Amino acid sequence: ILGCTMAGGSCSQPGDISGVLNGNLLGVLFTPTFIQNHQQELAEFLTATTPFHSQGAALQRQLQAFATHDTCDTLADIKAPTLVITGDRDITIPPSNSNLLTAKIPNAKLGIIADAAHGFSYSHPEIATNLIHLFLQQPPHLEIMIMKDQLKEILNTFGAYIQAFNSLEPTKVLPFFHLPAMLITSTEVAVMEKPIEVLGVFAILMDDLKHKNFKESKIIGSLEVKQLSDNQGQVVGVAKRFDRSDAEIEHFGFTYTLRKIQVKDKDKIEEKWTIISGVLYEPEILSNSK
């Protein structure tokens, strides 16, 4: 996994290192908006990290290595599955360097974090972690999109739903649905208006999977996460279900539509994404629609 880096030589595009030279660490790592909104947190960050900054001769040697290294001709020799991550606001090592790395490394995948700079792992830790988890869990042909905060929330909700489903306990998937909701498969259309109806639909589905020695569901290939409006989102992809011997039980395409609702928790009003419909279909339908 490569983060905010470049290959050097003709496969690189130099950025603005003036912040490194004049000691403006925050300007190097973060966007002006993030700095403005996190002043106290970043003051503590500087206090904790300043003793470890390169200075003097050490900094000069680091900059010399930065300017002279060149791995352009060896990128094609990389055989391991590779994820390249960048922030789209990185001025020190511009995102174009990540595009070049992805183009040169066989089958490399690119993750772009919106509104993030060189220090994306600090400013956007959850998004960076989600990208890495997706990459590690999926086959090498996974495609990763630009991740924004709302997409991150939709993705987190869907990922938690998959984990709840894998438990084969209907009560664990119930909180993810906003009623009335629908679940459409190749054999039935289930309209669920009451919690007991959600529990009933999933009890039948999960009992069948228990008899098939179900182990888990996994997302296969690309996962498309879209925000349709301020309060609606959609997750589209292909999944496989496996038994405890890791043999495939079935595979299917899916489209889940989610709605953001307000929930009162004691004296606070919180927003969360919930599922309002799920459609399961033959994967070929998904392929033909693109």
Side-chain angles (χ1 to χ4, degrees):
I1 297 174
L2 304 175
C4 54
T5 189
M6 64 182 186
S10 60
C11 292
S12 66
Q13 179 178 342
D16 180 1
I17 63 169
S18 59
V20 177
L21 297 174
N22 62 30
N24 181 19
L25 180 64
L26 295 185
V28 169
L29 295 177
F30 308 115
T31 66
T33 300
F34 185 85
I35 295 172
Q36 182 178 355
N37 293 338
H38 298 82
Q39 293 185 21
Q40 180 58 40
E41 177 185 343
L42 292 177
E44 296 172 359
F45 170 82
L46 283 178
T47 299
T49 60
T50 296
F52 305 99
H53 295 172
S54 298
Q55 298 180 6
L59 177 59
Q60 291 299 321
R61 289 194 294 270
Q62 184 176 355
L63 291 174
Q64 183 179 7
F66 177 81
T68 59
H69 91 287
D70 184 354
T71 61
C72 186
D73 293 337
T74 60
L75 294 178
D77 297 330
I78 296 176
K79 306 302 181 185
T82 304
L83 170 64
V84 182
I85 308 179
T86 184
D88 70 348
R89 301 280 301 279
D90 191 341
I91 60 173
T92 306
I93 300 183
S96 56
N97 289 287
S98 293
N99 293 326
L100 289 166
L101 285 169
T102 306
K104 291 285 186 179
I105 298 173
N107 300 314
K109 306 305 169 189
L110 176 63
I112 304 175
I113 301 179
D115 301 319
H118 197 64
F120 65 76
S121 61
Y122 185 91
S123 62
H124 295 70
E126 292 184 2
I127 299 179
T129 300
N130 279 333
L131 286 171
I132 294 170
H133 281 176
L134 275 174
F135 175 73
L136 294 177
Q137 292 170 8
Q138 307 305 324
H141 59 274
L142 173 69
E143 298 172 5
I144 295 179
M145 306 176 309
I146 297 176
M147 301 290 290
K148 296 188 178 181
D149 287 342
Q150 289 292 325
L151 299 185
K152 175 196 72 175
E153 294 173 8
I154 295 170
L155 180 62
N156 285 346
T157 297
F158 186 73
Y161 167 72
I162 294 297
Q163 291 182 355
F165 183 92
N166 284 344
S167 73
L168 295 187
E169 296 182 26
T171 55
K172 290 190 176 181
V173 300
L174 176 60
F176 290 93
F177 284 89
H178 178 62
L179 305 180
M182 296 179 64
L183 185 64
I184 302 172
T185 69
S186 58
T187 58
E188 69 173 312
V189 177
V191 179
M192 303 171 290
E193 297 182 346
K194 301 176 181 179
I196 190 65
E197 294 172 336
V198 177
L199 296 176
V201 167
F202 280 90
I204 294 172
L205 174 59
M206 291 175 174
D207 283 344
D208 178 62
L209 289 173
K210 287 177 182 177
H211 287 120
K212 295 177 179 177
N213 206 23
F214 172 84
K215 177 185 177 182
E216 62 182 342
S217 300
K218 287 186 177 181
I219 307 302
I220 304 300
S222 62
L223 184 65
E224 183 179 3
V225 184
K226 298 186 290 186
Q227 187 171 357
L228 306 178
S229 66
D230 287 342
N231 67 345
Q232 283 201 343
Q234 196 172 73
V235 182
V236 181
V238 176
K240 287 185 178 181
R241 290 175 178 153
F242 297 91
D243 65 18
R244 296 194 177 278
S245 68
D246 291 325
E248 180 184 331
I249 298 174
E250 60 184 341
H251 64 279
F252 52 89
F254 61 81
T255 299
Y256 280 88
T257 302
L258 295 85
R259 175 176 295 161
K260 184 167 63 176
I261 63 171
Q262 291 185 335
V263 179
K264 187 173 183 180
D265 182 14
K266 297 181 180 180
D267 297 329
K268 296 188 299 182
I269 301 294
E270 297 183 348
E271 293 183 333
K272 72 172 188 176
W273 288 92
T274 55
I275 297 170
I276 57 175
S277 71
V279 183
L280 311 184
Y281 41 81
E282 290 295 322
E284 288 74 19
I285 297 176
L286 181 64
S287 300
N288 293 336
S289 66
K290 292 184 177 181

